[in-house]
Amino acid sequence: MTLKLYNTLTRQKKVFKPIDASNVRMYACGPTVYDFAHIGNARPVIVFDVLYRLLRHIYGAASVRYVRNITDVDDKINARAAQEHPDLPLNEAIAKVTSETTRQFHKDVAALGVLPPDVEPTCTGHIPQMVDMIEVLIEKGHAYEAERHVLLDVASIASYGELSRRSLDEMIAGARVEVAPYKKNPADSVLWKPSEDLQPGWPSPWGRGRPGWHIECSAMAKEHLGEVFDIHGGGIDLVFPHHENEIAQSRSAHGTKVMANVWMHNGFLQVEGHKMSKSLGNFVTIHDLLRTDNFGGRKWPGEVLKLAMLMTHYRQPIDWTQRRLAEAEEILNRWYRYVENTLPDDEGSPSLIQQGSQLYNDLDTPGTIQQLIAKARTSAAMDFSYEQRVNFRSSANILGLLQYSTEEWFRRGVEQGQDVAEIERLIAVRSTARAEKNWPEADRIRDQLDAMGIQLLDSKNPETGQIETTWEVKR
Ligand code: AMP
Ligand code: ZN
C-alpha cells in the first residue's frame, strides 16, 4: 500500500512501511488532566483518529495498536488541585481533579465520535517502569543523581537534538529551560525529582519523589508498544523539549537507533485570528462547543467540529472561526441528504478512499473532502445507486464522518442547537388551539416553529381519527 507520511525526524514524506504489518503500532501523547480539553487539544485527537481509521482500513482492525496516554502526574495538576480544593488533603484533591478531568475528557472525545485507543495508560499506573528506565539510564552513563534529583545528561547523547534540529545552545536559549545549580548542563532534563511530604510521591532508589513528564511517555510507550515502534504523534509544540527527550531517553536506555520510525506533528490552532488564551477570553473548550452556546450562540454537533478541523491539512495552522463551523455544517447536511435511506451499518466499500487517493498522501483530508463534495454534488443531480451512496458513507466513515442515520443527524442537529422541550411544548399548545378550533392561534404557532426551522407534519391516525403532529428539521 502506498500510504505516504511526512516524518518530522527526516523532514521528508516517504512511503510508510510498518515494522510488522500484522502489528502496526502508534503512540500519541494524551492530555494532561487538570483542565477541560480545549479545541486545540481536540486537533491531535481528531487527526490521529483519522490515521488510526486509515491504518485499520489498510492493515485490518486487529493489526493496529493505538496507545494514547493520560498524563496524571504533573506539577500543573498539583497546583490546580491545591487551588481548587484548598479544604482537602492534597492527595485527595489531586485524585479528584484527575478523575473528574479524565471523565470529562472521555465524554468530550466520545461526543466527537472518535474511536477509543486500544490502550490508555496512566502515569500513576507505570511508576515502577519509569524507575526501572531511569536506573538503566544511570547505569549506562546517560543520567546522574544530584541533590535527590535524577537528570538526563544530554551531553552524553550524541544524537540529542536530532528531532528539533537545534544545537544545545539554541535549545537552552529558546526553551527557557530551568537553570539549577545541581545540573551539569542547563539543558539536562529532569527524570526524577524529590517530593515534599505533602506532594505526591513514590519510593525510589533516590528517595521519595515523582517522575518528570518526558520519562512518563518513554516508559508507557515501551510498556505497550516495545522498544521501537512505527508512529509517534502529537502537536507541533511537543517537538521540543518533550519528544526530543523521549527519543533521547528511549534510545539511550534501549540502545536502539530510533524510538519510533515516523514522527508526526499537527499544526497549531488559533481562534478568530488569535492565540487561544484565557486572558484574551477566546479560550474555547470542546465542552463549550458541543454542550453550551458559548461559541457562535449555539451548540455544534461533534461531526461539524470534526469536519471543520479536517478541512485544513493537519500540518497547517488552523484559524478556528464560526464561519468555518457553519460551512462544515452546510456540507454535512448535504452529505446526509445524499446518503438518505442508507444506514450506518450498511456494508459498503470506501471506494473513494483507496490506494493513490488523497488521503494516502500524508492524510490529505482537504483533498479528500473536496472529492466527497464533488461526488455528492454531481450524483445528486443524476440517478445514483444505493450502492454508490453506501460506498460514499463508508468513505466518509474513514474520516469519522456520517456515523448517524440521516434521520438521527437532522434530529441531533436540533437537539444540540435548539430546545426540544420548547418545540414539544409549542406543539402541545397548538394541538389544544386546534381542538378549540382557534385556527389563528394554531397558525401563529405553526409560523413561530417555522421561523425556528421546524416543519410540522399533521396526519390522521386511521384508528382513532385524531390528527397527530410530528416534526422535523427543515432541510
Ligand atoms: P497538553 O494537554 O497541553 O499536553 O496537550 C495535549 C495535546 O494537544 C498535545 O498533543 C498538544 O501538542 C496539543 N495541543 C495543545 N494546544 C494546541 C493547539 N492550540 N493547537 C493544536 N494542538 C494543540
Ligand atoms: Zn508524550
Side-chain angles (χ1 to χ4, degrees):
M1 283 288 172
T2 53
L3 169 62
K4 288 189 189 147
L5 297 175
Y6 180 85
N7 188 350
T8 311
L9 193 60
T10 58
R11 307 289 195 272
Q12 277 177 345
K13 192 155 74 179
K14 280 250 171 77
V15 173
F16 172 67
K17 284 204 191 73
I19 299 164
D20 173 0
S22 68
N23 183 19
V24 183
R25 288 159 289 161
M26 164 163 103
Y27 186 95
C29 295
T32 308
V33 283
Y34 68 100
D35 203 350
F36 279 84
H38 59 64
I39 185 67
N41 301 133
R43 195 168 187 195
V45 171
I46 290 172
V47 164
F48 293 105
D49 179 63
V50 172
L51 179 57
Y52 181 43
R53 288 170 187 268
L54 182 59
L55 292 171
R56 284 160 63 100
H57 169 58
I58 297 173
Y59 298 98
S63 302
V64 185
R65 188 168 170 81
Y66 174 28
V67 178
R68 185 184 64 215
N69 75 291
I70 295 276
T71 304
D72 61 351
V73 176
D74 189 289
D75 287 356
K76 289 194 287 265
I77 299 174
N78 306 348
R80 175 62 59 96
Q83 179 198 338
E84 248 174 41
H85 306 289
D87 45 322
L88 289 180
L90 188 60
N91 59 342
E92 282 176 38
I94 289 171
K96 200 168 157 63
V97 166
T98 56
S99 65
E100 282 172 4
T101 312
T102 302
R103 205 175 318 127
Q104 182 63 46
F105 176 74
H106 284 152
K107 269 198 209 159
D108 288 347
V109 295
L112 288 179
V114 299
L115 298 170
D118 297 291
V119 191
E120 194 175 52
T122 59
C123 304
T124 46
H126 294 74
I127 302 284
Q129 289 89 332
M130 296 168 198
V131 170
D132 283 354
M133 201 160 173
I134 297 171
E135 285 191 291
V136 173
L137 285 167
I138 295 177
E139 248 168 60
K140 295 194 171 179
H142 294 300
Y144 57 94
E145 190 185 350
E147 296 184 25
R148 296 165 63 217
H149 290 71
V150 183
L151 297 137
L152 186 71
D153 185 357
V154 296
S156 76
I157 302 167
S159 56
Y160 194 77
E162 63 179 333
L163 182 70
S164 54
R165 299 199 178 177
R166 306 188 206 188
S167 70
L168 265 183
D169 288 346
E170 281 169 338
M171 288 183 227
I172 295 163
R176 282 172 291 163
V177 285
E178 196 193 343
V179 182
Y182 49 80
K183 286 187 180 182
K184 284 195 208 166
N185 184 322
D188 292 352
S189 56
V190 173
L191 297 170
W192 190 263
K193 60 180 142 191
S195 293
E196 305 297 329
D197 283 348
L198 289 177
Q199 286 175 323
W202 291 264
S204 83
W206 321 285
R208 184 173 172 278
R210 59 197 190 281
W213 175 31
H214 317 312
I215 194 74
E216 296 175 339
C217 281
S218 282
M220 288 184 279
K222 153 74 172 42
E223 176 75 11
H224 298 283
L225 297 175
E227 292 181 351
V228 177
F229 52 95
D230 297 295
I231 299 170
H232 193 316
I236 189 80
D237 58 319
L238 300 188
V239 169
F240 186 85
H242 187 51
H243 289 167
E244 192 73 63
N245 281 279
E246 279 190 40
I247 294 177
Q249 295 156 175
S250 296
R251 286 192 54 192
S252 304
H254 310 317
T256 46
K257 281 213 164 69
V258 292
M259 175 185 186
N261 281 329
V262 183
W263 288 78
M264 295 176 66
H265 294 97
N266 64 266
F268 243 49
L269 174 148
Q270 54 174 20
V271 174
E272 307 279 2
H274 300 281
K275 184 174 187 295
M276 205 178 344
S277 90
K278 290 223 159 110
S279 57
L280 285 176
N282 66 348
F283 191 87
V284 186
T285 64
I286 305 177
H287 176 80
D288 274 341
L289 273 178
L290 301 177
R291 303 263 176 249
T292 72
D293 50 10
N294 286 353
F295 194 72
R298 53 161 294 191
K299 305 179 184 84
W300 298 92
E303 285 196 4
V304 167
L305 195 154
K306 196 189 286 191
L307 179 61
M309 195 78 81
L310 296 175
M311 278 160 31
T312 301
H313 186 258
Y314 77 92
R315 286 198 281 129
Q316 299 299 319
I318 289 189
D319 189 23
W320 192 252
T321 60
Q322 285 177 37
R323 236 190 79 214
R324 165 188 281 271
L325 284 164
E327 194 187 327
E329 184 171 47
E330 196 39 53
I331 293 169
L332 277 169
N333 285 347
R334 220 180 305 140
W335 290 358
Y336 269 108
R337 283 193 291 267
Y338 179 56
V339 298
E340 189 150 20
N341 301 325
T342 67
L343 289 174
D345 49 7
D346 284 345
E347 278 289 317
S349 103
S351 51
L352 297 172
I353 295 177
Q354 48 189 302
Q355 205 169 331
S357 66
Q358 287 98 330
L359 203 61
Y360 284 72
N361 180 15
D362 193 30
L363 298 187
D364 179 3
T365 53
T368 307
I369 290 164
Q370 282 311 321
Q371 193 192 359
L372 290 167
I373 288 174
K375 183 78 186 164
R377 186 184 291 135
T378 52
S379 307
M382 303 185 288
D383 263 352
F384 42 84
S385 68
Y386 182 78
E387 193 192 356
Q388 256 178 308
R389 290 181 300 125
V390 173
N391 289 349
F392 183 93
R393 183 193 281 281
S394 301
S395 305
N397 279 172
I398 296 202
L399 301 180
L401 300 169
L402 302 188
Q403 298 188 55
Y404 304 94
S405 73
T406 299
E407 197 183 12
E408 278 168 338
W409 170 256
F410 284 103
R411 276 270 163 139
R412 189 181 148 89
V414 167
E415 281 163 14
Q416 298 224 358
Q418 301 180 14
D419 190 343
V420 176
E422 177 64 5
I423 294 169
E424 308 257 321
R425 188 188 68 81
L426 286 169
I427 291 173
V429 174
R430 175 172 171 271
S431 296
T432 310
R434 286 176 62 105
E436 291 165 355
K437 300 204 161 32
N438 184 349
W439 307 120
E441 174 67 356
D443 288 348
R444 192 190 63 74
I445 294 172
R446 175 186 282 279
D447 291 347
Q448 186 181 344
L449 284 162
D450 186 79
M452 289 164 66
I454 302 302
Q455 184 167 8
L456 298 185
L457 308 160
D458 292 322
S459 58
K460 198 179 214 163
N461 182 322
E463 278 167 31
T464 63
Q466 299 274 8
I467 297 289
E468 288 176 355
T469 305
T470 55
W471 58 273
E472 64 177 36
V473 189
K474 279 195 297 189
R475 303 192 197 164

